[in-house]
Amino acid sequence: MSTYSRPRPPADRSRHHVERAEAALIGHYARLVRLAYLTLPPALGRHRRVLAAHGTVQRSLRGVRRGRREPALPAQRGEPSSDYAWVRLRVLRGALAEGTRTGWWPPRLPARHALPLRLPAVLGLRLFPRAGGAGELALDQALSEVRPEVRAAFALLLLDGLPSEAVRAELAQADGRDPGGAVRAAERLRSAHEDAGALLRSEEFDPCTVHTRPTDLIRRRRRARFAAMTGALAVLTCTALAVTSGPPDQGRTAAPVAGPGSAVVDPARLVRAGHGGWADSARVDFTVWPARGSRAGDRALLGRALGAWASPAGDVTVSAASGTTAVPPSAPARLLYAGEADGDAVVLLHDGQRLARYTEPGPDGGGRALDLARADDADVTSAAAVALTRGGGSVRYLTAPWIATAATRDLLDPDAPARALEVAADGVTPAVPRPMAGGGCGESWPALQLRSSRRIVERHSFLVTDLGDLSPVHLTYTPPPGRGAPARQPREATSGPALVSWARSVCLLRGMRDTGVRAVNDWAFAEQDLPEEAGRAVWTCTRVDTWRGPGDILVRFRPPARALTAPGTVVARRADTAACGRFGQHMVAQARWQAPSGRWYVLAAGSRAVTRIETAGSVRETSAGTTLAVPAGREAPVTASGLTRDGDTLRALGTG
């Protein structure tokens, strides 16, 4: 006879009925889902993150049975009940465990964690919370850069109003890593954002109030066709095998083969978006451009354009931007424009990844032309305009349907006001000047200033400039770090300081024509008082992002100059680097500088997170803060490095 007896639960465990737990979950469902949404990894994407948050809460009671003894938590000050705190702990465990996933499979965790093994199924729709303003966007960016425990602590502090000690205890019971450090990081995050509590309670972070949009309909049709073709191929294969394995005297019939490219050259198969769909879409890019132009119904012209893309004849000159393939489209393309511009017939097409511009000259023109350029992952700014024609030092654009106004301005004259343009009803601009195509910078650098419609965003103006590709280049600006301010993010280059900065930077773009550039950001990452009271210098990193993905940087030292457009000295160049971008936000640079007295110095400066700079070599010096200036001979070997607040060492870019 067995003498084993089940041990009794500890005295601090009490019976926790399922009905009470379910009542707490339902009564505070929105609150729990918001906590899970904030804790879950932003890398999931907004759609999967919304579903994962609801799934985490809905299955937080999985494994709880009637009459089973479960741990009970005492009610925290200001909380509705211990039942809610108990459910919240299970939700928190599940959300934190989701952050440890690697790959597609759920993590292997103890049964008490009750991690959801599946998500609510939503087919054919994408879900996402309503967009907030600039404050919500900055907070979302800051939260995406910290670990899940910090996001959880931030939510518990601001949403549930728990004191720091209670949050630390809750994270420890949820098996979170370094609860104390997470609480301290959350406190710093709260102090860095004004009205953080109100921002966190906004619709930007509410997974219960969501917009719905369809998934990529073109991709769904492609997948459906692929599935049908796969099924038909399987049937034909089985039939062929059955015929082959039959008696030798049986006849064999060859399977029919479809003509290649028949769908992609048929004008009737062109995809056309509705004229007002862009205002109700979560994806504001080329996929919501309606078909415009006086010849959008000219099937003969459209057929010639599709034929030139699918199988260009000898009289068609094909050119592809850097990193762009010239292969035919794999499915019917989308028609964006077909009309007359400067005496030429122009057709603009989009296949989901690339733009294609077909040009058919008038009677006095030359041969036909097809220009291709990448346009994948375009957005409200990089899909805002396309060059229809170029010639004679000017360019004519087709603007996106969400562009409300357009103007031109000279980037080399930041004080001059922008000049408004009269854009036609179909979105075509007049011929406007473009930057000089030669090696020089010229006396002016024209740019296009666009403003989006209030139907998608309020007061959103931005700058683009022509560098020879189909899409103009988006110009942005990141201001110098403010005293005690959080890390700055790139913003539109339309303010006074941004225009002054670009006046000294825009001539650097003249060597980037026809290289597939998507966007350029001018980042003033440090300011420095020069020795001998020689004024204040600015350190700038100009980052060039391409449609291919890699980015190049130019680091400059800009001492005070009489000329407003003086670019300063380029001290470093790097290709295919993450520096000065979203994934390389910390940097140190150094330069050699001669004071008005004739004395030479080694100068170094770091971005906001740098706390100390030191030099090695013939001169050894240490300076607390983000800048350093040390006398050194013109040829003395000196290298600088910086230390960040996180303990990382950054080697300085530039010449010592």
Side-chain angles (χ1 to χ4, degrees):
M1 181 175 64
S2 173
T3 59
Y4 173 79
S5 61
R6 183 184 299 273
R8 289 189 175 185
D12 61 346
R13 295 171 69 91
S14 62
R15 189 176 302 275
H16 205 294
H17 294 292
V18 177
E19 290 85 354
R20 293 172 56 190
E22 289 177 344
L25 187 150
I26 295 173
H28 302 283
Y29 182 79
R31 189 174 177 181
L32 293 168
V33 173
R34 192 186 292 256
L35 171 64
Y37 180 80
L38 289 166
T39 306
L40 287 166
L44 289 174
R46 303 177 76 187
H47 172 75
R48 291 180 58 197
R49 195 173 168 199
V50 167
L51 296 180
H54 285 274
T56 300
V57 175
Q58 291 176 16
R59 284 182 285 277
S60 62
L61 302 184
R62 186 171 59 88
V64 180
R65 298 186 296 272
R66 293 181 187 274
R68 180 177 177 177
R69 296 181 181 272
E70 298 287 346
L73 294 176
Q76 303 288 350
R77 184 174 58 185
E79 290 193 7
S81 69
S82 61
D83 302 311
Y84 165 73
W86 181 84
V87 175
R88 183 183 62 199
L89 177 61
R90 295 178 68 92
V91 170
L92 190 59
R93 279 176 174 163
L96 288 175
E98 182 73 13
T100 65
R101 290 181 58 176
T102 56
W104 292 97
W105 294 102
R108 300 184 63 181
L109 298 168
R112 70 178 187 275
H113 285 203
L115 182 71
L117 298 180
R118 63 187 183 277
L119 300 176
V122 178
L123 302 177
L125 289 176
R126 305 293 294 177
L127 310 179
F128 54 94
R130 296 178 178 176
E136 288 85 349
L137 182 61
L139 179 59
D140 184 53
Q141 176 67 25
L143 290 173
S144 68
E145 296 172 355
V146 298
R147 54 194 177 95
E149 288 82 2
V150 178
R151 295 194 296 271
F154 191 69
L156 293 173
L157 287 169
L158 275 74
L159 295 180
D160 283 27
L162 297 183
S164 299
E165 290 299 326
V167 173
R168 189 177 295 109
E170 183 112 341
L171 290 176
Q173 293 187 65
D175 300 332
R177 294 184 298 108
D178 187 16
V183 173
R184 289 191 296 272
E187 292 281 7
R188 290 194 298 268
L189 194 61
R190 176 167 62 176
S191 62
H193 292 270
E194 297 182 1
D195 300 327
L199 295 176
L200 209 59
R201 292 180 176 87
S202 68
E203 294 180 341
E204 172 81 22
F205 305 102
D206 182 8
C208 291
T209 305
V210 296
H211 283 297
T212 61
R213 292 292 183 269
T215 54
D216 194 327
L217 300 179
I218 296 178
R219 184 176 298 175
R220 281 162 53 180
R221 287 197 295 270
R222 290 177 181 172
R223 289 175 176 172
R225 286 195 296 268
F226 178 76
M229 292 172 60
T230 302
L233 181 61
V235 171
L236 290 174
T237 303
C238 294
T239 303
L241 289 175
V243 171
T244 304
S245 60
D249 58 347
Q250 284 187 340
R252 293 174 173 83
T253 303
V257 179
S262 57
V264 299
V265 297
D266 183 1
R269 301 290 297 274
L270 283 170
V271 180
R272 300 170 185 251
H275 280 271
W278 57 268
D280 297 314
S281 173
R283 182 177 174 180
V284 184
D285 57 14
F286 289 113
T287 61
V288 295
W289 274 40
R292 292 174 290 173
S294 59
R295 300 184 66 176
D298 189 339
R299 299 190 60 174
L301 173 63
L302 300 179
R304 292 193 296 272
L306 292 171
W309 194 358
S311 180
D315 65 332
V316 178
T317 302
V318 179
S319 64
S322 178
T324 306
T325 61
V327 299
S330 58
R334 180 183 300 274
L335 177 61
L336 305 183
Y337 177 84
E340 301 285 341
D342 296 330
D344 297 338
V346 181
V347 178
L348 193 63
L349 305 168
H350 179 245
D351 72 344
Q353 300 293 321
R354 297 168 298 171
L355 285 173
R357 183 185 63 192
Y358 171 78
T359 305
E360 196 172 86
D364 300 330
R368 298 184 293 163
L370 179 70
D371 300 293
L372 300 167
R374 290 184 61 168
D376 46 317
D377 200 25
D379 56 23
V380 65
T381 55
S382 52
V386 176
L388 282 184
T389 61
R390 286 190 183 90
S394 64
V395 57
R396 191 183 299 273
Y397 293 101
L398 174 66
T399 59
W402 57 83
I403 296 301
T405 62
T408 60
R409 69 180 320 134
D410 182 7
L411 293 184
L412 291 180
D413 189 1
D415 295 329
R419 298 182 297 276
L421 290 176
E422 292 292 335
V423 181
D426 59 358
V428 177
T429 71
V432 297
R434 65 188 182 106
M436 187 167 51
C441 189
E443 298 180 355
S444 67
W445 191 288
L448 201 63
Q449 181 165 319
L450 305 175
R451 183 176 64 81
S452 299
S453 167
R454 292 178 179 270
R455 296 176 65 183
I456 58 173
V457 62
E458 292 187 3
R459 296 186 299 276
H460 180 218
S461 295
F462 54 95
L463 288 180
V464 295
T465 190
D466 178 56
L467 287 184
D469 292 315
L470 289 184
S471 298
V473 176
H474 181 208
L475 304 181
T476 56
Y477 168 70
T478 304
R483 298 183 181 276
R488 303 294 184 95
Q489 300 297 323
R491 58 199 65 189
E492 302 304 344
T494 54
S495 65
L499 293 173
V500 170
S501 180
W502 267 110
R504 305 187 67 177
S505 304
V506 70
C507 287
L508 299 173
L509 302 181
R510 62 183 183 271
M512 303 173 188
R513 289 186 173 91
D514 303 315
T515 57
V517 177
R518 173 178 178 168
V520 185
N521 180 55
D522 209 36
W523 175 30
F525 65 88
E527 295 179 302
Q528 181 176 18
D529 291 323
L530 296 175
E532 303 181 15
E533 298 183 352
R536 192 168 181 83
V538 178
W539 295 80
T540 303
C541 185
T542 302
R543 179 174 177 85
V544 180
D545 287 317
T546 64
W547 287 98
R548 305 184 308 278
D552 304 339
I553 65 168
L554 291 170
V555 183
R556 285 174 298 141
F557 168 70
R558 298 183 347 204
R562 292 183 179 179
L564 186 62
T565 59
T569 302
V570 176
V571 299
R573 299 173 184 263
R574 292 293 185 274
D576 298 341
T577 178
C580 302
R582 178 182 176 186
F583 302 105
Q585 299 183 5
H586 311 311
M587 71 170 303
V588 176
Q590 70 179 91
R592 194 83 58 168
W593 176 74
Q594 186 178 25
S597 65
R599 192 177 189 183
W600 285 91
Y601 290 83
V602 168
L603 306 179
S607 54
R608 180 179 179 274
V610 174
T611 58
R612 189 176 76 227
I613 296 180
E614 57 187 24
T615 60
S618 61
V619 178
R620 293 183 176 271
E621 186 70 31
T622 300
S623 174
T626 59
T627 61
L628 174 144
V630 56
R634 183 174 184 178
E635 304 297 334
V638 181
T639 58
S641 60
L643 184 70
T644 69
R645 64 169 65 99
D646 296 328
D648 298 328
T649 300
L650 303 175
R651 184 176 180 180
L653 301 176
T655 57

